[in-house]
Amino acid sequence: MKKFKFALDTVLSYKQQVLGALQGEHAEAVARVRAQEALLERLWQEYRDCDGEYHQRAAEGLAITDALMYQSALRAAELEIQRETRHLEELEAEAEKRREAMVEAKKETSSIEKLKEKKLEAYHKEEAKSEELFIEEFISSTRAHAAS
């Protein structure tokens, strides 16, 4: 019997390549989100440290110019945190978009793989039937030759 050939092998191969690329893009997007989260955590820690130092020095007695400097630094830190938080939200939206594209590609690839499995199963059943018929014919012809 002829060798199994799946008609959509080239399509399946293409879909698998696309899926691989999308998985890589998604992984990169998630890595950017994690890096941005780490940056934000560092900014918040710097803000807390500056705020703590300000309150400690204010309790000990602080010159007006120094107090204004701390307040200015804290306000600048707040603005930077807000800007980086917006950037994080953009990165998260991009990562989600990439995840959705990856999931869709996985569905497409999976459906073609399942079709291939069904076709291969049907091929094996047909091959088994063919072998059965061959064996039956061989036994019949062997019996016919033995009887004559």
Side-chain angles (χ1 to χ4, degrees):
M1 192 168 191
K2 64 181 179 173
K3 185 178 173 191
F4 176 73
K5 178 75 173 122
F6 183 57
L8 297 175
D9 263 337
T10 55
V11 173
L12 178 58
S13 176
Y14 172 74
K15 292 290 187 182
Q16 288 169 334
Q17 289 174 0
V18 169
L19 176 60
L22 289 172
Q23 287 172 329
E25 290 172 5
H26 177 254
E28 290 171 4
V30 168
R32 285 191 295 272
V33 167
R34 297 294 171 254
Q36 186 67 16
E37 288 172 341
L39 171 65
L40 264 173
E41 182 54 39
R42 184 180 57 77
L43 291 174
W44 273 111
Q45 187 59 48
E46 288 173 4
Y47 178 85
R48 287 188 293 270
D49 291 346
C50 183
D51 188 53
E53 185 179 324
Y54 169 59
H55 282 89
Q56 179 185 357
R57 291 202 50 208
E60 296 169 354
L62 184 64
I64 297 286
T65 56
D66 288 341
L68 290 174
M69 181 187 73
Y70 273 108
Q71 290 173 357
S72 177
L74 287 171
R75 181 66 188 140
E78 289 170 1
L79 292 173
E80 185 177 8
I81 288 170
Q82 289 173 359
R83 185 177 62 250
E84 295 300 337
T85 299
R86 283 191 300 274
H87 185 59
L88 174 61
E89 291 167 356
E90 293 167 1
L91 291 173
E92 287 172 333
E94 179 66 22
E96 180 60 21
K97 187 174 115 184
R98 301 251 184 227
R99 187 192 70 76
E100 289 171 1
M102 183 186 68
V103 166
E104 189 59 35
K106 179 64 178 161
K107 286 178 188 176
E108 291 173 9
T109 303
S110 182
S111 66
I112 295 172
E113 287 171 343
K114 286 178 184 175
L115 179 61
K116 182 177 182 176
E117 289 172 12
K118 287 180 182 179
K119 295 281 187 183
L120 184 58
E121 187 178 318
Y123 169 80
H124 286 309
K125 285 180 183 178
E126 187 63 36
E127 191 177 52
K129 278 184 186 179
S130 177
E131 287 178 15
E132 245 178 71
L133 285 173
F134 175 77
I135 292 171
E136 285 178 18
E137 289 175 13
F138 179 75
I139 292 172
S140 294
S141 84
T142 305
R143 286 184 184 160
H145 286 304
S148 45

